[in-house]
Amino acid sequence: TGSSAASVAGSSIQRDAIRTAKSTTQLNEKMAEELGTPCEDECAMDSYPNMPPSVHPGVVTGQAMVDLLNHAKENGYAIPAVNCVSSSGINACLEAARKNDAPVIIQFSSGGSQFYGGKGLDNNNYQAAIAGAISGAFHVRTMAEQYGVPVILHTDHCAKKLLPWIDGLLAASERYYEKHGEPLFSSHMIDLSEEPIEENIDICKDYLARMSKVGILLEMELGITGGEEDGVDNTDVPLEDLYSKPEEIYQVYKELSPISDMFTVAAAFGNVHGVYSPGNVKLEPKILSRAQEYISEKLGDDAPADKKPVSFVFHGGSGSDLTDIRESLGYGVIKMNIDTDTQWSYWEGIKNFESKYHDYLQTQIGNPEGPDKPNKKYYDPRECMRSAETVTVDRLEQSFGDLRCQKILGLGEMGEATNVLESSVFGPRKGGLPV
């Protein structure tokens, strides 16, 4: 999301936590096999040339997710985490991941989940948000295999009032686990940063105990992320609340570790939701380095050799300076959240399409080529939506590059899609699929 906080977990997110669950390192059955859909080329692969053998095409959970995150930590890259509100946005993320030969994290906020379910659906008890997130999860599970990329399926900020939403998703994951030996979702974030730290930790301990039984990773937040996003307005919070202290991070680490190592902590280091003019946001990535040093000192002989006992997540990468992003990678960042920039890229694609074909989009019949010329091929929603997707794919390529998350899987370049109907606007190809 456009929040800039940092998430931390045990430097090598411990594998023992996953082994307490029934989740296996490989899926027992691909989604394509369960649904009877075609599964060829990358989809049919069980692993990747350059990745740990547990990491496979499709949604990764449990040990496979742990191995993927550890691979990022050990190889100095971070995985883009993109908020999605539609199947079109999800497909753009998957296409971008394959084009960059890389993993990706797809995540839903509560508001995005509700939108995915439909704004016309009643959301009492968060029923629309629960159903929407589950629907999105099954779309990701179905299509991630087809694109041949590994995906971590995550949910974003969940404040105290939104906990019933997460409860519904956990119940769905537990049912899914009983049938498939893995959870529906890979991880969830619970954001109780506005609550007293003791209450924050106590509630997270309860959720971690429940999640760890099925191999779900918990992400919690310390400190407050500034700005506004998804109905949460923190534009006027005191400046000191935007920066976490190493002592607080260690307190969480110390209290959650006895339950499970499958947790991360979002530690604020001056980040703000949204995009602002240069100079208005002062990031302090060295807070991450100081936390690594402090916790390493507390761990003593148990600290890892690289003195990076935690894995950080950079929340709110949109609009962040490349220097800050690259500096944070040096401190063990393995994930960066993106929302505002991809919201803009999706809109920009629609805006550019409307601008280019404005005179063909005013009436159903009649355009500069003649008063009787039909405009169906221009106002077909697939045209402007595909424009939105391609601009978003291009924008995400920048993010993958910024995070050094390119040519990771070892698949090589993505081939051109075949037997695909080309845009009617740019001239359909003979023999293409029918509309």
Side-chain angles (χ1 to χ4, degrees):
T1 59
S3 81
S4 256
S7 287
V8 296
S11 70
S12 309
I13 303 174
Q14 296 297 322
R15 301 179 179 184
D16 292 340
I18 294 298
R19 291 182 180 136
T20 61
K22 292 189 295 183
S23 299
T24 58
T25 57
Q26 293 283 357
L27 282 175
N28 293 327
E29 183 180 44
K30 289 180 180 291
M31 194 72 174
E33 294 172 344
E34 181 178 348
L35 299 177
T37 54
C39 186
E40 302 175 357
D41 303 321
E42 290 94 338
C43 174
M45 298 177 65
D46 290 326
S47 60
Y48 299 98
N50 297 342
M51 299 295 292
S54 63
V55 180
H56 53 77
V59 172
V60 292
T61 64
Q63 187 61 51
M65 173 184 59
V66 169
D67 290 345
L68 174 56
L69 294 176
N70 285 341
H71 186 270
K73 176 79 173 294
E74 294 162 4
N75 291 275
Y77 67 90
I79 305 172
V82 189
N83 280 57
C84 294
V85 300
S86 70
S87 59
S88 173
I90 291 170
N91 293 347
C93 290
L94 296 173
E95 181 179 347
R98 180 59 190 89
K99 284 192 171 183
N100 286 275
D101 192 15
V104 70
I105 299 171
I106 291 176
Q107 56 193 29
F108 306 122
S109 66
S110 61
S113 298
Q114 181 188 359
F115 186 85
Y116 202 101
K119 295 291 282 188
L121 186 63
D122 190 272
N123 198 37
N124 283 335
N125 299 317
Y126 301 101
Q127 63 190 55
I130 293 169
I134 293 171
S135 175
F138 276 100
H139 180 86
V140 174
R141 281 190 167 273
T142 302
M143 298 311 301
E145 288 181 357
Q146 298 297 322
Y147 281 87
V149 296
V151 177
I152 292 175
L153 184 55
H154 182 68
T155 58
D156 205 10
H157 296 268
C158 175
K160 187 176 181 179
K161 67 180 180 180
L162 297 175
L163 288 176
W165 170 55
I166 290 296
D167 291 338
L169 300 184
L170 285 176
S173 271
E174 289 162 346
R175 289 191 296 271
Y176 193 86
Y177 178 85
E178 288 300 318
K179 293 182 178 180
H180 301 87
E182 68 164 350
L184 180 62
F185 288 86
S186 308
S187 55
H188 296 294
M189 181 185 185
I190 294 179
D191 180 3
L192 304 177
S193 57
E194 294 184 349
E195 313 304 326
I197 187 170
E198 292 78 10
E199 181 181 4
N200 184 350
I201 294 174
D202 286 344
I203 293 176
C204 284
K205 287 166 72 173
D206 291 339
Y207 275 94
L208 180 60
R210 180 180 179 183
M211 291 182 185
S212 62
K213 292 178 181 178
V214 293
I216 297 176
L217 183 143
L218 166 68
E219 180 180 329
M220 62 93 72
E221 180 163 346
L222 282 175
I224 294 176
T225 301
E228 183 177 359
E229 182 182 60
D230 211 34
V232 179
D233 189 351
N234 290 328
T235 54
D236 297 322
V237 299
L239 185 62
E240 62 268 21
D241 290 344
L242 300 180
Y243 301 92
S244 295
K245 301 176 180 62
E247 296 84 355
E248 295 172 331
I249 300 172
Y250 178 63
Q251 181 180 354
V252 171
Y253 184 91
K254 181 174 63 175
E255 295 204 35
L256 267 59
S257 291
I259 300 171
S260 170
D261 293 303
M262 290 293 295
F263 68 90
T264 61
V265 183
F269 59 104
N271 317 57
V272 177
H273 286 123
V275 177
Y276 297 84
S277 299
N280 287 349
V281 177
K282 184 173 177 56
L283 298 180
E284 294 287 351
K286 284 185 172 56
I287 285 177
L288 309 182
S289 178
R290 290 196 289 271
Q292 297 278 31
E293 295 170 359
Y294 182 86
I295 297 174
S296 291
E297 182 179 345
K298 290 292 185 180
L299 293 176
D301 294 339
D302 292 329
D306 64 2
K307 301 302 180 184
K308 295 178 183 177
V310 296
S311 296
F312 289 93
V313 175
F314 191 141
H315 271 211
S318 293
S320 297
D321 186 83
L322 180 59
T323 302
D324 291 327
I325 294 173
R326 290 286 171 83
E327 181 181 359
S328 70
L329 292 182
Y331 303 145
V333 164
I334 57 171
K335 172 192 174 205
M336 186 178 82
N337 284 21
I338 304 161
D339 188 12
T340 304
D341 282 348
T342 46
Q343 287 177 338
W344 173 258
S345 66
Y346 199 91
W347 160 245
E348 186 177 28
I350 295 174
K351 177 175 68 73
N352 292 349
F353 182 86
E354 194 283 332
S355 177
K356 184 174 183 178
Y357 299 106
H358 176 83
D359 292 341
Y360 295 83
L361 296 168
Q362 304 309 303
T363 59
Q364 285 187 293
I365 299 175
N367 59 47
E369 298 176 17
D372 296 326
K373 293 289 185 180
N375 295 316
K376 175 177 171 53
K377 66 182 182 181
Y378 296 96
Y379 63 75
D380 184 329
R382 290 174 292 184
E383 298 292 347
C384 65
M385 289 174 68
R386 181 55 185 162
S387 178
E389 291 171 3
T390 56
V391 174
T392 298
V393 169
D394 290 343
R395 176 59 184 84
L396 284 173
E397 182 175 6
Q398 177 186 332
S399 296
F400 279 97
D402 290 348
L403 297 174
R404 298 192 175 102
C405 189
Q406 293 175 314
K407 300 181 179 178
I408 300 296
L409 305 177
L411 295 177
E413 294 186 4
M414 183 180 186
E416 289 293 327
T418 59
N419 198 28
V420 176
L421 178 69
E422 293 183 354
S423 167
S424 298
V425 172
F426 303 107
R429 177 177 56 197
K430 289 184 177 181
L433 295 174
V435 177

